[in-house]
Amino acid sequence: KQEVTQIPAALSVPEGENLVLNCSFTDSAIYNLQWFRQDPGKGLTSLLLIQSSQREQTSGRLNASLDKSSGRSTLYIAASQPGDSATYLCAATVGGSQGNLIFGKGTKLSVKP
Amino acid sequence: DTAVSQTPKYLVTQMGNDKSIKCEQNLGHDTMYWYKQDSKKFLKIMFSYNNKELIINETVPNRFSPKSPDKAHLNLHINSLELGDSAVYFCASSQAFGTSISYEQYFGPGTRLTVT
């Protein structure tokens, strides 16, 4: 059974700092790994999707990496801003016919001005 | 334009009632999903559905049933509501899930259900 873990559960950094969020999964047989952002009381916004055959994806100040063999993914945020404050969720798409997402419990990020 | 929409945004109801949450996507996607986010903010899959197959998470009570009138809609019906059903319910959609490549899931804004 796939389990996804995110460390740390919460992180507070000063504005401008570069930071890394960690995600680990127990079963390397994933189809992809997706990073989301959730603002309080809001839905999920997809940030990056890494296919199982890829090693990283970049979008603006965000870079996500995937190492299937070690069961790890990281989300790197460069030059953090107060507007980056949110909960970041990683989710692995598991096998089967429909591609269900298995979520971690998230990292709550606070970027202080 | 909203890609995945849900109605209502908030739903407050009493124990024992039957209620529905509607979900619509205008992305032309083939697969739709329902997820539940509990009070500890943990998201879990409830159902996934395309025009060929419904997959139900084994932990979901049979009081919950998805209904799809067409490819763009997947509604969630809940019978005999219980206090423990209080949560935020998210609908999502993606293109058809293939064996060689899989697609992003796009989420709706969520429906906060409170059972009193």
Side-chain angles (χ1 to χ4, degrees):
Chain A
K1 180 185 171 187
Q2 179 71 268
E3 292 185 4
V4 178
T5 304
Q6 291 186 248
I7 296 173
L11 182 63
S12 182
V13 300
E15 182 177 4
E17 191 162 297
N18 301 327
L19 59 101
V20 174
L21 306 181
N22 296 295
C23 173
S24 61
F25 44 95
T26 55
D27 186 348
S28 62
I30 63 171
Y31 285 88
N32 65 35
L33 191 128
Q34 199 166 347
W35 282 92
F36 295 89
R37 168 187 174 138
Q38 185 174 27
D39 293 281
K42 305 285 186 182
L44 279 71
T45 300
S46 177
L47 297 174
L48 289 164
L49 171 74
I50 313 176
Q51 300 292 351
S52 62
S53 58
Q54 298 173 325
R55 296 206 44 103
E56 66 176 335
Q57 282 287 333
T58 298
S59 175
R61 294 183 294 110
L62 306 179
N63 176 277
S65 68
L66 175 64
D67 184 344
K68 279 184 61 178
S69 61
S70 66
R72 292 181 182 177
S73 176
T74 60
L75 179 67
Y76 174 82
I77 303 177
S80 59
Q81 303 170 358
D84 295 332
S85 298
T87 296
Y88 290 80
L89 297 158
C90 73
T93 302
V94 297
S97 60
Q98 304 281 42
N100 300 334
L101 287 171
I102 306 298
F103 279 87
K105 293 188 177 181
T107 294
K108 186 172 182 180
L109 174 65
S110 176
V111 181
K112 308 286 187 191
Chain B
D1 280 345
T2 303
V4 183
S5 59
Q6 296 179 228
T7 54
K9 187 170 183 179
Y10 300 97
L11 181 55
V12 181
T13 187
Q14 292 184 326
M15 285 176 55
N17 285 349
D18 302 337
K19 289 293 179 185
S20 295
I21 305 172
K22 295 185 177 181
C23 177
E24 176 181 3
Q25 54 94 4
N26 62 7
L27 298 167
H29 286 167
D30 296 301
T31 305
M32 296 183 73
Y33 311 82
W34 278 104
Y35 291 85
K36 178 180 180 180
Q37 188 171 43
D38 61 25
S39 57
K40 296 183 179 178
K41 308 296 184 187
F42 191 37
L43 267 159
K44 289 186 72 172
I45 182 73
M46 298 178 70
F47 306 99
S48 56
Y49 181 79
N50 63 23
N51 59 358
K52 299 176 184 175
E53 191 175 10
L54 169 66
I55 295 182
I56 302 171
N57 184 315
E58 61 188 13
T59 66
V60 175
N62 58 14
R63 298 181 295 102
F64 290 77
S65 58
K67 298 225 178 352
S68 180
D70 55 58
K71 195 172 110 167
H73 297 83
L74 184 66
N75 303 324
L76 183 64
H77 295 268
I78 316 170
N79 295 326
S80 303
L81 277 154
E82 300 177 358
L83 292 176
D85 298 333
S86 295
V88 181
Y89 293 85
F90 288 97
C91 176
S93 72
S94 70
Q95 294 182 28
F97 184 71
T99 54
S100 60
I101 191 168
S102 55
Y103 300 97
E104 276 183 282
Q105 290 192 23
Y106 294 84
F107 280 71
T111 295
R112 182 174 294 276
L113 171 65
T114 303
V115 182
T116 62

